[in-house]
Amino acid sequence: MDELVECNEFQGKPSLEGKDFVDYFNLEFGTYPPEEFEGGEEQPFYEHDFKFIGFYLSKEGQQQMYFTAGARPNLFAIGVPLTNGQAMLSMTSVPPSKLGNL
């Protein structure tokens, strides 16, 4: 199996959608599975929480695909390019307004 390595540019248009982030965010925030989560301070994430914002360029020169992350104003879902042509899911508190537009 090939090693997954980050790179600076997407190879074509990535096929990420909001549903791709649901399990990742719920696992990170301890709200998985969302249909069985009850109470607590954190609210589960659902597909409709992730809306595509756009493509941006990090200060290091890496293309990033930004999505909203629910009603949390300082949290964003991002996809970063991998050398195998796919994207790695991640999250950040860096708003796209601090990055360059593509």
Side-chain angles (χ1 to χ4, degrees):
M1 183 161 112
D2 292 336
E3 180 181 4
L4 299 177
V5 179
E6 286 186 47
C7 59
N8 285 336
E9 295 182 8
F10 288 106
Q11 299 171 7
K13 184 178 178 191
S15 61
L16 287 179
E17 298 177 0
K19 66 181 179 183
D20 298 321
F21 292 98
V22 173
D23 288 345
Y24 168 57
F25 272 69
N26 282 320
L27 285 168
E28 288 291 325
F29 282 88
T31 54
Y32 184 86
E35 59 277 354
E36 295 178 15
F37 180 76
E38 295 179 18
E41 289 183 27
E42 296 293 342
Q43 293 299 310
F45 290 89
Y46 297 96
E47 185 176 344
H48 65 268
D49 291 324
F50 300 97
K51 304 275 189 260
F52 178 67
I53 299 172
F55 288 95
Y56 295 88
L57 194 61
S58 74
K59 291 178 182 175
E60 293 79 25
Q62 183 184 54
Q63 293 178 356
Q64 298 178 340
M65 189 176 186
Y66 262 72
F67 291 80
T68 60
R72 294 166 173 91
N74 297 318
L75 181 65
F76 301 92
I78 62 172
V80 297
L82 297 173
T83 54
N84 68 354
Q86 296 182 4
M88 180 175 65
L89 306 180
S90 191
M91 61 178 73
T92 185
S93 60
V94 177
S97 60
K98 299 231 183 225
L99 303 174
N101 289 334
L102 285 181

XYZ file of all heavy atoms in Angstrom:
813
model
N 0.829 -1.168 0.000
C 0.000 0.000 0.000
C 0.879 1.238 0.000
O 1.855 1.319 0.746
C -0.893 -0.021 1.250
C -1.842 1.128 1.311
S -3.204 0.774 2.439
C -2.874 1.918 3.715
N 0.551 2.193 -0.842
C 1.327 3.423 -0.945
C 1.120 4.302 0.280
O 0.027 4.369 0.845
C 0.918 4.215 -2.192
C 1.311 3.507 -3.473
O 2.254 2.699 -3.416
O 0.681 3.756 -4.508
N 2.180 4.981 0.665
C 2.101 5.912 1.784
C 1.299 7.140 1.369
O 1.458 7.653 0.249
C 3.516 6.326 2.198
C 3.551 7.280 3.341
C 4.974 7.692 3.704
O 5.917 7.282 3.003
O 5.119 8.432 4.671
N 0.427 7.620 2.249
C -0.349 8.822 1.970
C 0.486 10.036 2.358
O 0.892 10.183 3.509
C -1.663 8.814 2.747
C -2.599 7.654 2.438
C -3.835 7.721 3.311
C -2.974 7.642 0.976
N 0.764 10.889 1.379
C 1.620 12.035 1.594
C 0.891 13.290 1.136
O 0.318 13.330 0.039
C 2.948 11.882 0.803
C 3.845 13.094 1.004
C 3.660 10.604 1.200
N 0.923 14.330 1.989
C 0.325 15.605 1.602
C 1.145 16.241 0.494
O 2.349 16.072 0.408
C 0.296 16.566 2.791
C -0.735 16.242 3.822
C -0.823 17.309 4.897
O -0.880 18.506 4.558
O -0.830 16.932 6.074
N 0.459 16.992 -0.349
C 1.137 17.750 -1.386
C 0.492 19.136 -1.458
O -0.406 19.448 -0.678
C 1.100 17.012 -2.726
S -0.545 16.656 -3.350
N 0.907 19.970 -2.392
C 0.425 21.352 -2.441
C -0.780 21.571 -3.336
O -1.500 22.552 -3.167
C 1.537 22.305 -2.866
C 2.536 22.537 -1.756
O 2.214 22.383 -0.581
N 3.754 22.869 -2.106
N -1.008 20.697 -4.317
C -2.086 20.947 -5.270
C -2.972 19.720 -5.440
O -2.494 18.591 -5.426
C -1.514 21.341 -6.635
C -0.773 22.655 -6.621
C -0.264 23.048 -7.995
O -0.614 22.385 -8.995
O 0.503 24.019 -8.071
N -4.271 19.985 -5.602
C -5.198 18.910 -5.923
C -4.979 18.472 -7.370
O -4.695 19.304 -8.223
C -6.656 19.377 -5.767
C -7.077 19.562 -4.334
C -7.228 20.824 -3.801
C -7.330 18.457 -3.526
C -7.632 20.998 -2.490
C -7.730 18.624 -2.215
C -7.887 19.903 -1.688
N -5.120 17.188 -7.625
C -5.032 16.661 -8.985
C -6.458 16.550 -9.504
O -7.133 15.556 -9.290
C -4.345 15.302 -8.985
C -2.931 15.354 -8.466
C -2.348 13.961 -8.259
O -2.934 12.959 -8.621
N -1.178 13.913 -7.662
N -6.937 17.581 -10.149
C -8.330 17.629 -10.582
C -9.193 18.136 -9.443
O -8.709 18.550 -8.392
N -10.496 18.104 -9.621
C -11.420 18.591 -8.596
C -11.691 17.487 -7.581
O -12.144 16.408 -7.930
C -12.731 19.032 -9.245
C -13.680 19.632 -8.251
C -14.947 20.097 -8.903
C -15.867 20.639 -7.829
N -17.197 20.875 -8.297
N -11.412 17.741 -6.286
C -11.679 16.721 -5.269
C -13.174 16.466 -5.129
O -13.992 17.350 -5.357
C -11.105 17.319 -3.991
C -10.815 18.734 -4.284
C -10.855 18.944 -5.754
N -13.527 15.270 -4.748
C -14.945 14.902 -4.652
C -15.435 14.902 -3.209
O -16.240 14.072 -2.829
C -15.170 13.538 -5.296
O -14.401 12.563 -4.619
N -14.941 15.825 -2.391
C -15.378 15.903 -1.000
C -16.752 16.543 -0.906
O -17.066 17.475 -1.644
C -14.397 16.746 -0.180
C -13.059 16.122 0.147
C -12.209 17.102 0.945
C -13.245 14.849 0.937
N -17.538 16.046 0.037
C -18.852 16.602 0.327
C -19.001 16.681 1.839
O -18.223 16.079 2.582
C -19.946 15.699 -0.249
C -19.916 15.556 -1.742
C -20.974 14.587 -2.252
O -21.735 14.032 -1.424
O -21.034 14.378 -3.464
N -20.022 17.396 2.281
C -20.254 17.536 3.712
C -20.363 16.218 4.436
O -19.855 16.059 5.556
N -20.987 15.221 3.804
C -21.175 13.920 4.469
C -19.851 13.240 4.793
O -19.782 12.423 5.697
C -22.053 13.011 3.612
C -21.424 12.595 2.301
C -22.345 11.712 1.489
C -21.678 11.348 0.181
N -22.537 10.564 -0.667
N -18.793 13.604 4.068
C -17.492 12.988 4.302
C -16.892 13.379 5.656
O -16.045 12.672 6.183
C -16.516 13.368 3.188
C -16.966 12.887 1.827
O -17.493 11.754 1.742
O -16.807 13.636 0.839
N -17.330 14.511 6.209
C -16.765 15.012 7.458
C -17.528 14.570 8.707
O -17.028 14.713 9.815
C -16.739 16.551 7.432
C -15.776 17.113 6.428
C -16.223 17.519 5.182
C -14.434 17.247 6.727
C -15.350 18.041 4.254
C -13.546 17.761 5.806
C -14.002 18.164 4.564
N -18.741 14.058 8.576
C -19.624 13.788 9.713
C -18.981 12.850 10.732
O -18.874 13.189 11.922
C -20.989 13.250 9.237
C -21.833 12.820 10.423
C -21.721 14.292 8.418
N -18.561 11.667 10.328
C -17.988 10.703 11.272
C -16.706 11.245 11.910
O -16.498 11.110 13.120
C -17.707 9.364 10.592
C -18.970 8.588 10.285
O -20.048 8.926 10.829
O -18.882 7.628 9.498
N -15.851 11.848 11.108
C -14.586 12.390 11.612
C -14.829 13.410 12.723
O -14.246 13.326 13.809
C -13.792 12.997 10.454
C -12.604 13.829 10.868
C -11.592 13.299 11.663
C -12.474 15.144 10.462
C -10.490 14.062 12.038
C -11.391 15.906 10.821
C -10.404 15.371 11.615
O -9.325 16.113 11.990
N -15.701 14.378 12.482
C -15.963 15.415 13.477
C -16.655 14.846 14.715
O -16.322 15.232 15.838
C -16.783 16.558 12.863
C -15.927 17.622 12.230
C -15.206 17.354 11.078
C -15.841 18.887 12.775
C -14.416 18.326 10.491
C -15.048 19.870 12.198
C -14.336 19.587 11.052
N -17.599 13.938 14.531
C -18.279 13.353 15.685
C -17.334 12.500 16.526
O -17.418 12.500 17.754
C -19.511 12.564 15.245
C -20.661 13.490 14.924
O -20.895 14.476 15.613
N -21.376 13.198 13.861
N -16.419 11.803 15.895
C -15.419 11.033 16.653
C -14.504 11.973 17.440
O -14.210 11.738 18.612
C -14.599 10.141 15.721
C -15.308 8.897 15.217
C -14.517 8.260 14.073
C -15.512 7.893 16.338
N -14.060 13.047 16.813
C -13.163 14.000 17.473
C -13.837 14.706 18.649
O -13.195 14.999 19.652
C -12.656 15.050 16.471
C -11.651 14.516 15.479
C -10.315 14.167 16.122
O -9.879 14.858 17.064
O -9.697 13.184 15.681
N -15.123 15.008 18.529
C -15.837 15.745 19.565
C -16.586 14.835 20.545
O -17.293 15.312 21.426
C -16.802 16.755 18.934
C -16.100 17.989 18.445
C -15.578 18.040 17.165
C -15.944 19.089 19.270
C -14.919 19.164 16.715
C -15.280 20.218 18.841
C -14.759 20.269 17.557
N -16.458 13.518 20.395
C -17.087 12.590 21.313
C -18.598 12.507 21.184
O -19.286 12.197 22.144
N -19.100 12.788 19.986
C -20.556 12.763 19.755
C -20.941 11.688 18.737
O -21.912 11.834 18.002
C -21.043 14.145 19.272
O -20.282 14.539 18.119
C -20.901 15.191 20.351
N -20.169 10.606 18.699
C -20.421 9.524 17.738
C -20.997 8.318 18.462
O -20.529 7.981 19.557
C -19.113 9.130 17.047
C -19.303 8.091 15.980
C -19.641 8.473 14.701
C -19.169 6.749 16.264
C -19.828 7.518 13.707
C -19.359 5.788 15.283
C -19.691 6.184 14.011
O -19.882 5.246 13.034
N -21.964 7.638 17.897
C -22.727 7.996 16.695
C -23.780 9.054 17.032
O -24.371 9.020 18.113
C -23.385 6.682 16.269
C -23.506 5.889 17.524
C -22.357 6.319 18.408
N -24.004 10.019 16.133
C -24.889 11.146 16.447
C -26.325 10.741 16.772
O -26.962 11.367 17.616
C -24.828 12.027 15.195
C -24.239 11.189 14.133
C -23.431 10.120 14.804
N -26.825 9.672 16.142
C -28.215 9.272 16.395
C -28.397 8.665 17.786
O -29.517 8.565 18.289
C -28.730 8.311 15.318
C -27.937 7.033 15.167
C -26.696 7.152 14.311
O -26.457 8.214 13.704
O -25.936 6.170 14.261
N -27.302 8.301 18.440
C -27.385 7.725 19.780
C -26.848 8.668 20.853
O -26.873 8.355 22.036
C -26.602 6.414 19.833
C -27.181 5.337 18.956
C -26.356 4.057 18.991
O -25.506 3.900 19.885
O -26.569 3.218 18.101
N -26.353 9.824 20.447
C -25.761 10.766 21.398
C -26.859 11.475 22.175
O -27.826 11.964 21.622
C -24.896 11.798 20.655
C -24.257 12.777 21.571
C -23.160 12.431 22.332
C -24.761 14.063 21.685
C -22.562 13.337 23.181
C -24.171 14.978 22.536
C -23.074 14.615 23.286
N -26.681 11.526 23.486
C -27.662 12.196 24.335
C -26.967 13.166 25.273
O -26.093 12.778 26.038
C -28.435 11.174 25.169
C -29.291 10.240 24.347
C -30.018 9.224 25.220
O -30.126 9.449 26.431
O -30.454 8.212 24.657
N -27.382 14.433 25.220
C -26.921 15.434 26.174
C -25.479 15.842 26.004
O -24.849 15.589 24.997
N -24.979 16.509 27.034
C -23.619 17.008 27.000
C -23.560 18.400 26.410
O -24.532 18.917 25.862
N -22.405 19.016 26.555
C -22.225 20.365 26.024
C -22.121 20.372 24.503
O -22.585 21.297 23.852
C -20.962 20.994 26.607
C -21.086 21.344 28.064
C -19.836 22.029 28.581
O -19.139 22.671 27.782
O -19.572 21.906 29.778
N -21.469 19.388 23.952
C -21.281 19.326 22.499
C -22.533 18.810 21.810
O -23.218 17.938 22.331
C -20.093 18.427 22.142
C -18.764 18.931 22.632
C -18.309 20.207 21.966
O -18.818 20.561 20.888
O -17.435 20.865 22.546
N -22.790 19.343 20.655
C -23.885 18.877 19.816
C -23.303 18.069 18.660
O -22.254 18.435 18.122
C -24.686 20.057 19.267
C -25.427 20.828 20.349
C -26.441 19.951 21.065
O -27.242 19.271 20.436
N -26.390 19.940 22.392
N -23.956 16.985 18.252
C -23.440 16.188 17.135
C -23.428 16.979 15.827
O -24.161 17.954 15.665
C -24.421 15.022 17.027
C -25.244 15.050 18.252
C -25.183 16.432 18.805
N -22.585 16.545 14.920
C -22.514 17.118 13.579
C -23.340 16.258 12.632
O -23.368 15.038 12.758
C -21.060 17.141 13.083
C -20.198 18.131 13.811
C -19.531 17.764 14.961
C -20.051 19.421 13.334
C -18.722 18.666 15.638
C -19.247 20.330 14.003
C -18.585 19.954 15.156
N -23.991 16.915 11.681
C -24.775 16.233 10.649
C -24.340 16.748 9.288
O -23.677 17.790 9.179
C -26.275 16.485 10.868
C -26.765 15.928 12.181
C -26.860 16.738 13.302
C -27.098 14.577 12.301
C -27.291 16.219 14.521
C -27.530 14.055 13.522
C -27.616 14.883 14.622
O -28.027 14.370 15.816
N -24.704 16.036 8.249
C -24.297 16.397 6.891
C -24.604 17.853 6.559
O -23.788 18.541 5.945
C -24.977 15.458 5.894
C -24.538 15.672 4.462
C -25.146 14.657 3.506
O -25.664 13.619 3.946
O -25.092 14.921 2.298
N -25.769 18.343 6.967
C -26.159 19.715 6.615
C -25.299 20.783 7.316
O -25.357 21.950 6.966
C -27.645 19.953 6.924
C -27.978 19.884 8.383
N -28.373 18.714 8.979
C -27.949 20.820 9.360
C -28.593 18.939 10.263
N -28.339 20.217 10.520
N -24.488 20.385 8.297
C -23.602 21.332 8.987
C -22.400 21.741 8.141
O -21.758 22.747 8.428
C -23.085 20.724 10.297
C -24.164 20.568 11.336
O -25.056 21.442 11.414
O -24.121 19.564 12.077
N -22.098 20.965 7.125
C -20.889 21.200 6.334
C -21.257 21.744 4.956
O -21.709 21.003 4.084
C -20.082 19.907 6.211
C -19.656 19.370 7.546
C -20.397 18.376 8.176
C -18.551 19.875 8.194
C -20.041 17.885 9.415
C -18.174 19.389 9.440
C -18.921 18.396 10.054
N -21.061 23.037 4.775
C -21.348 23.699 3.500
C -20.029 24.148 2.875
O -19.169 24.728 3.546
C -22.235 24.929 3.717
C -23.542 24.648 4.431
C -24.597 24.206 3.471
C -25.948 24.141 4.126
N -26.387 22.845 4.528
N -19.886 23.870 1.578
C -18.667 24.250 0.865
C -18.529 25.768 0.839
O -19.471 26.483 0.518
C -18.721 23.690 -0.561
C -17.537 24.065 -1.393
C -16.275 23.577 -1.105
C -17.692 24.911 -2.471
C -15.183 23.916 -1.884
C -16.599 25.249 -3.268
C -15.350 24.758 -2.966
N -17.339 26.260 1.205
C -17.051 27.701 1.183
C -16.240 28.052 -0.050
O -16.537 29.009 -0.750
C -16.279 28.133 2.443
C -17.102 27.846 3.696
C -15.920 29.613 2.369
C -16.338 28.064 4.994
N -15.177 27.283 -0.321
C -14.337 27.569 -1.472
C -12.946 26.966 -1.335
O -12.634 26.293 -0.353
N -12.121 27.229 -2.345
C -10.726 26.788 -2.348
C -9.854 27.963 -1.931
O -10.040 29.082 -2.408
C -10.301 26.323 -3.748
C -10.915 25.018 -4.155
C -12.072 24.995 -4.905
C -10.337 23.817 -3.787
C -12.648 23.797 -5.298
C -10.898 22.606 -4.166
C -12.059 22.601 -4.923
N -8.899 27.694 -1.062
C -8.004 28.737 -0.567
C -6.576 28.227 -0.577
O -6.336 27.024 -0.638
C -8.415 29.168 0.844
C -9.769 29.824 0.846
C -10.930 29.065 0.980
C -9.896 31.187 0.650
C -12.176 29.659 0.936
C -11.143 31.794 0.606
C -12.269 31.019 0.752
O -13.507 31.603 0.696
N -5.636 29.147 -0.496
C -4.220 28.829 -0.531
C -3.612 29.189 0.820
O -3.682 30.347 1.250
C -3.536 29.610 -1.646
C -2.147 29.187 -2.060
C -2.148 27.762 -2.588
C -1.602 30.122 -3.128
N -3.028 28.199 1.511
C -2.419 28.455 2.821
C -1.157 29.299 2.654
O -0.635 29.459 1.545
C -2.068 27.136 3.518
O -0.925 26.555 2.914
N -0.657 29.815 3.758
C 0.571 30.619 3.724
C 1.756 29.796 3.240
O 2.723 30.334 2.712
C 0.856 31.200 5.105
C -0.148 32.249 5.503
C 0.102 32.780 6.887
C -0.980 33.787 7.211
N -0.912 34.294 8.561
N 1.657 28.473 3.412
C 2.730 27.580 2.959
C 2.583 27.199 1.489
O 3.397 26.465 0.952
C 2.745 26.306 3.813
C 3.125 26.523 5.259
C 1.970 27.075 6.104
O 0.798 26.862 5.735
O 2.249 27.738 7.101
N 1.508 27.670 0.838
C 1.314 27.405 -0.579
C 0.501 26.159 -0.881
O 0.483 25.685 -2.014
N -0.200 25.618 0.101
C -1.000 24.403 -0.115
C -2.456 24.774 -0.401
O -3.051 25.584 0.302
C -0.953 23.512 1.120
C -1.711 22.202 0.947
C -1.725 21.383 2.232
O -2.114 21.876 3.280
N -1.276 20.141 2.122
N -3.024 24.162 -1.436
C -4.441 24.344 -1.718
C -5.254 23.656 -0.627
O -4.910 22.563 -0.191
C -4.811 23.737 -3.070
C -4.205 24.434 -4.247
C -4.581 23.755 -5.560
O -5.239 22.723 -5.589
N -4.131 24.341 -6.656
N -6.332 24.314 -0.214
C -7.205 23.739 0.798
C -8.653 23.988 0.419
O -8.998 25.061 -0.050
C -6.912 24.337 2.182
C -5.508 24.042 2.649
C -5.175 24.656 3.994
O -5.817 25.586 4.456
N -4.146 24.128 4.616
N -9.477 22.980 0.626
C -10.901 23.042 0.310
C -11.642 23.269 1.628
O -11.594 22.423 2.521
C -11.314 21.721 -0.333
C -12.679 21.699 -0.907
S -12.933 20.084 -1.716
C -14.509 20.372 -2.462
N -12.295 24.421 1.777
C -12.922 24.818 3.051
C -14.425 24.560 3.080
O -15.117 24.782 2.093
C -12.701 26.316 3.288
C -11.549 26.621 4.217
C -10.243 26.449 3.802
C -11.775 27.105 5.494
C -9.183 26.742 4.646
C -10.729 27.402 6.349
C -9.435 27.224 5.932
O -8.397 27.502 6.765
N -14.908 24.131 4.269
C -16.329 23.928 4.541
C -16.659 24.554 5.895
O -15.806 24.595 6.789
C -16.656 22.425 4.644
C -16.558 21.667 3.363
C -15.336 21.257 2.877
C -17.700 21.335 2.647
C -15.233 20.528 1.695
C -17.613 20.610 1.480
C -16.384 20.212 0.988
N -17.900 24.992 6.072
C -18.355 25.397 7.394
C -18.403 24.159 8.263
O -18.410 23.033 7.760
C -19.776 26.003 7.351
O -20.682 25.014 6.841
C -19.836 27.252 6.493
N -18.460 24.363 9.583
C -18.582 23.242 10.517
C -19.713 23.557 11.487
O -19.489 23.862 12.657
C -17.277 22.996 11.247
N -20.922 23.542 10.998
C -22.085 23.825 11.831
C -22.124 25.277 12.249
O -21.664 26.164 11.536
N -22.642 25.517 13.433
C -22.799 26.886 13.933
C -21.564 27.361 14.693
O -21.608 28.383 15.353
C -24.022 26.954 14.841
N -20.485 26.650 14.601
C -19.259 27.035 15.304
C -18.477 28.013 14.433
O -17.896 27.625 13.429
C -18.440 25.799 15.630
C -19.143 24.880 16.633
C -18.457 23.527 16.663
N -18.963 22.664 17.703
C -19.961 21.803 17.532
N -20.571 21.701 16.371
N -20.341 21.038 18.534
N -18.422 29.288 14.833
C -17.816 30.311 13.979
C -16.303 30.195 13.813
O -15.756 30.679 12.840
C -18.179 31.624 14.679
C -18.398 31.241 16.101
C -18.920 29.836 16.082
N -15.616 29.564 14.750
C -14.159 29.461 14.678
C -13.674 28.052 14.391
O -12.589 27.669 14.802
C -13.536 29.966 15.988
C -13.839 31.423 16.216
O -13.774 32.227 15.300
N -14.194 31.764 17.435
N -14.505 27.284 13.687
C -14.139 25.915 13.345
C -14.515 25.657 11.892
O -15.631 25.976 11.477
C -14.856 24.920 14.261
C -14.540 23.447 14.039
C -13.071 23.151 14.366
C -15.442 22.577 14.899
N -13.580 25.103 11.140
C -13.803 24.828 9.730
C -13.325 23.425 9.400
O -12.361 22.933 9.987
C -13.037 25.833 8.851
C -13.429 27.245 9.116
C -12.746 28.009 10.044
C -14.503 27.809 8.454
C -13.117 29.314 10.306
C -14.891 29.113 8.706
C -14.200 29.865 9.638
N -14.013 22.787 8.470
C -13.598 21.496 7.935
C -12.801 21.779 6.671
O -13.183 22.632 5.874
C -14.821 20.652 7.610
N -11.684 21.079 6.509
C -10.888 21.278 5.301
C -10.461 19.943 4.700
O -10.338 18.940 5.402
C -9.635 22.163 5.543
C -8.684 21.529 6.553
C -10.035 23.562 5.951
C -7.368 22.261 6.688
N -10.261 19.982 3.402
C -9.665 18.873 2.683
C -8.333 19.343 2.147
O -8.234 20.441 1.593
N -7.285 18.561 2.360
C -5.958 18.896 1.836
C -5.534 17.810 0.846
O -5.871 16.647 1.012
C -4.915 19.082 2.961
C -5.287 20.248 3.848
C -4.752 17.834 3.785
N -4.810 18.199 -0.202
C -4.457 17.235 -1.251
C -3.408 16.213 -0.822
O -2.521 16.509 -0.032
C -3.921 18.128 -2.369
C -3.451 19.364 -1.705
C -4.313 19.547 -0.491
N -3.564 15.013 -1.369
C -2.599 13.931 -1.173
C -1.996 13.557 -2.526
O -2.616 13.761 -3.577
C -3.281 12.707 -0.566
C -3.882 12.888 0.827
C -4.677 11.638 1.222
C -2.815 13.186 1.858
N -0.814 12.981 -2.492
C -0.125 12.630 -3.734
C -0.837 11.541 -4.529
O -0.590 11.392 -5.724
C 1.322 12.165 -3.455
O 1.293 11.106 -2.490
C 2.170 13.312 -2.933
N -1.751 10.792 -3.893
C -2.481 9.744 -4.614
C -3.740 10.290 -5.303
O -4.545 9.526 -5.826
C -2.838 8.580 -3.686
C -3.866 8.951 -2.639
O -4.263 10.099 -2.505
N -4.288 7.958 -1.879
N -3.933 11.614 -5.279
C -5.067 12.229 -5.950
C -6.298 12.376 -5.081
O -7.289 12.962 -5.500
N -6.257 11.859 -3.869
C -7.390 11.992 -2.965
C -7.159 13.165 -2.025
O -6.199 13.919 -2.184
C -7.593 10.689 -2.200
C -7.958 9.541 -3.115
C -8.211 8.257 -2.332
O -8.182 8.227 -1.119
N -8.457 7.185 -3.064
N -8.036 13.321 -1.039
C -7.893 14.406 -0.072
C -7.954 13.845 1.341
O -8.652 12.873 1.605
C -8.993 15.436 -0.272
N -7.216 14.474 2.234
C -7.236 14.115 3.640
C -8.155 15.092 4.363
O -8.113 16.303 4.115
C -5.835 14.201 4.231
C -5.772 13.843 5.708
S -4.089 13.813 6.359
C -3.618 15.521 6.212
N -8.986 14.571 5.263
C -9.897 15.402 6.034
C -9.158 15.983 7.227
O -8.333 15.318 7.847
C -11.072 14.575 6.541
C -11.865 13.792 5.509
C -12.999 13.034 6.186
C -12.401 14.694 4.422
N -9.493 17.218 7.537
C -8.889 17.859 8.688
C -9.828 18.940 9.194
O -10.883 19.193 8.603
C -7.530 18.456 8.304
O -6.835 18.862 9.465
N -9.450 19.569 10.303
C -10.212 20.704 10.813
C -9.225 21.781 11.221
O -8.062 21.507 11.506
C -11.108 20.300 11.984
C -10.405 19.763 13.190
S -11.515 19.357 14.567
C -12.311 17.882 13.989
N -9.716 23.024 11.233
C -8.857 24.148 11.570
C -9.683 25.267 12.177
O -10.890 25.334 11.979
C -8.112 24.653 10.313
O -7.183 25.673 10.704
C -9.066 25.210 9.278
N -8.999 26.143 12.904
C -9.643 27.345 13.419
C -9.237 28.570 12.598
O -9.682 29.675 12.872
C -9.270 27.556 14.892
O -7.863 27.702 15.023
N -8.383 28.365 11.596
C -7.942 29.462 10.727
C -9.049 29.789 9.733
O -9.391 28.948 8.900
C -6.643 29.092 9.981
C -6.232 30.209 9.037
C -5.533 28.758 10.948
N -9.618 31.001 9.805
C -10.682 31.348 8.869
C -10.139 31.551 7.464
O -8.997 31.970 7.284
C -11.252 32.646 9.438
C -10.146 33.234 10.240
C -9.320 32.076 10.743
N -10.958 31.258 6.455
C -10.482 31.427 5.084
C -10.126 32.871 4.747
O -9.346 33.118 3.844
C -11.647 30.907 4.221
C -12.826 30.851 5.105
C -12.324 30.747 6.499
N -10.659 33.827 5.500
C -10.338 35.238 5.262
C -8.862 35.541 5.516
O -8.334 36.546 5.056
C -11.212 36.141 6.132
O -11.002 35.853 7.505
N -8.168 34.664 6.241
C -6.734 34.839 6.521
C -5.860 34.169 5.468
O -4.646 34.192 5.567
C -6.392 34.283 7.892
C -7.129 34.958 9.005
C -6.181 35.382 10.054
C -6.990 35.990 11.176
N -6.467 37.189 11.669
N -6.500 33.539 4.460
C -5.766 32.813 3.428
C -5.948 33.504 2.083
O -6.800 34.364 1.918
C -6.284 31.374 3.332
C -6.220 30.551 4.606
C -6.906 29.216 4.390
C -4.802 30.351 5.064
N -5.169 33.088 1.115
C -5.308 33.615 -0.232
C -6.352 32.846 -1.027
O -6.516 31.655 -0.845
N -7.073 33.554 -1.874
C -8.059 32.901 -2.761
C -7.346 32.234 -3.920
O -6.307 32.677 -4.368
C -9.041 33.924 -3.333
C -9.998 34.435 -2.286
O -10.280 33.760 -1.310
N -10.498 35.623 -2.491
N -7.941 31.163 -4.415
C -7.406 30.493 -5.614
C -8.123 31.016 -6.826
O -9.250 31.354 -6.819
C -7.605 28.980 -5.533
C -6.667 28.263 -4.593
C -6.939 26.765 -4.600
C -5.232 28.497 -4.967
